Amino acid sequence: MATVLHSGPRYASNEGVCDTLCAALGDMVAERHEEHGEILITVRRDSVEDALRTLRDDHGYQQLMEIAGVDYPDRPERFEVVYMLLSLTKNHRVMVKCSTDEATPVPTATRLWPNAGWLEREVFDMYGVTFAGNTDLRRILTDYGFEGHPFRKDFPLTGYQELRYSEEEKRVVYEPVELAQDFRSFDFMSPWEGADYVLPGDEKAATPQVSDPKTTDSPKDTGAGEKTDAKAAEKVSAGAPAESGIGKDDAGAPAPTESRPGRPRREGKSPDTSAATETDEEKD
């Protein structure tokens, strides 16, 4: 079988990529970060559209794969908008993000990628982040008339109204939103970075090892052996009903019912009934 070669690399290294991209973006970069094999570049909010255009046109990141939101309630600009870009020619990914608050809009990316319209609507619906220039910024996941944004960390468990169609009343009804949520503490630490508290299930890791484990290497450890076999062979219930018929001749099965003498011939309702139920003697 011939080997098929492709011009694109199987995977691309991050070596030198972050320096090259940040040098091209210049003053638009507010912060850069590289960890866990991923490159994350934070740009200034007003420059996000120009930064994305530079990465698309000059550095080959042709596809916008996703736009995600993050909420940090303790920050002055509590929301982060993360753009995940993919280069098909380099087989490489990079993440670009910017921060904003509840009132300041983020420049839209719909002029660069048409699919950004749907992604921005999702961030708007879940977090309440607005995008300047998006001509169709509507809710996309929640229902009409829904109040609030469910992915915000301070979204209340109850108190907002939702509407649904009631089959019993045959109309649209308004009801309070009730969301089951056990924990309201905000923990932004990644589990891959290591938590400073014991995660559920980790307490088993502190269990000490058994110093002298029990083994079954010999019959004495399992209880088996000649003495045990002899004990099992003893007849504890001698004379039981199951033993009373042992050694007697079997009387045999009863005679077939259709072979009994003197039985009148059976009249079948179908042509093959009599042939199937009568013996050869009855047929003669």
Side-chain angles (χ1 to χ4, degrees):
M1 181 177 180
T3 303
V4 179
L5 299 179
H6 194 275
S7 58
R10 298 181 61 180
Y11 62 92
S13 172
N14 289 339
E15 183 177 358
V17 176
C18 189
D19 295 335
T20 302
L21 297 181
C22 290
L25 297 177
D27 296 338
M28 293 183 286
V29 178
E31 185 182 354
R32 49 184 288 180
H33 188 67
E34 182 176 352
E35 191 173 356
H36 305 298
E38 297 180 343
I39 296 178
L40 180 60
I41 302 175
T42 303
V43 300
R44 307 185 188 281
R45 180 178 57 252
D46 297 336
S47 305
V48 63
E49 183 179 359
D50 295 334
L52 294 175
R53 180 181 288 106
T54 301
L55 294 176
R56 185 195 67 175
D57 298 343
D58 300 339
H59 297 274
Y61 290 92
Q62 304 96 343
Q63 289 193 356
L64 173 64
M65 304 304 297
E66 180 63 278
I67 299 179
V70 189
D71 182 18
Y72 297 94
D74 298 334
R75 298 182 182 180
E77 294 186 345
R78 60 182 295 183
F79 301 113
E80 286 186 352
V81 181
V82 185
Y83 302 83
M84 304 178 187
L85 307 181
L86 169 65
S87 173
L88 298 176
T89 54
K90 301 177 181 179
N91 195 14
H92 191 265
R93 296 175 184 265
V94 65
M95 290 188 291
V96 180
K97 71 177 182 178
C98 66
S99 60
T100 186
D101 53 22
E102 301 181 20
T104 308
V106 177
T108 183
T110 54
R111 289 185 285 265
L112 302 175
W113 293 281
N115 66 318
W118 292 83
L119 302 176
E120 290 176 355
R121 285 178 60 183
E122 182 176 350
V123 176
F124 163 72
D125 194 359
M126 297 292 102
Y127 295 94
V129 177
T130 57
F131 294 87
N134 190 322
T135 59
D136 190 23
L137 197 61
R138 297 175 291 129
R139 292 184 179 269
I140 191 173
L141 297 178
T142 57
D143 206 344
Y144 299 103
F146 188 90
E147 297 181 9
H149 306 280
F151 278 8
R152 289 188 178 184
K153 294 294 193 302
D154 55 358
F155 185 78
L157 302 182
T158 58
Y160 288 151
Q161 298 289 326
E162 68 176 356
L163 67 158
R164 65 177 181 86
Y165 181 78
S166 174
E167 288 290 347
E168 298 177 356
E169 302 182 21
K170 301 300 181 181
R171 65 181 182 87
V172 176
V173 296
Y174 289 82
E175 296 176 341
V177 175
E178 296 183 2
L179 300 178
Q181 185 170 344
D182 297 333
F183 302 99
R184 297 296 291 174
S185 57
F186 303 144
D187 182 6
F188 303 106
M189 180 177 293
S190 171
W192 289 272
E193 297 174 357
D196 55 358
Y197 53 87
V198 179
L199 296 173
D202 287 354
E203 68 277 1
K204 301 177 182 179
T207 305
Q209 298 292 332
V210 179
S211 58
D212 187 15
K214 185 177 180 181
T215 60
T216 56
D217 296 334
S218 63
K220 181 177 65 174
D221 298 327
T222 62
E226 298 180 359
K227 184 177 179 180
T228 305
D229 295 341
K231 186 68 175 177
E234 295 180 0
K235 294 183 178 180
V236 180
S237 59
E243 300 177 354
S244 60
I246 298 178
K248 296 182 179 181
D249 295 335
D250 190 0
T257 56
E258 297 298 337
S259 300
R260 289 181 294 179
R263 182 179 179 85
R265 183 169 181 174
R266 178 176 297 181
E267 297 293 337
K269 295 182 180 181
S270 59
D272 58 343
T273 300
S274 58
T277 58
E278 297 175 359
T279 62
D280 295 338
E281 297 177 356
E282 294 175 342
K283 293 179 181 180
D284 295 338

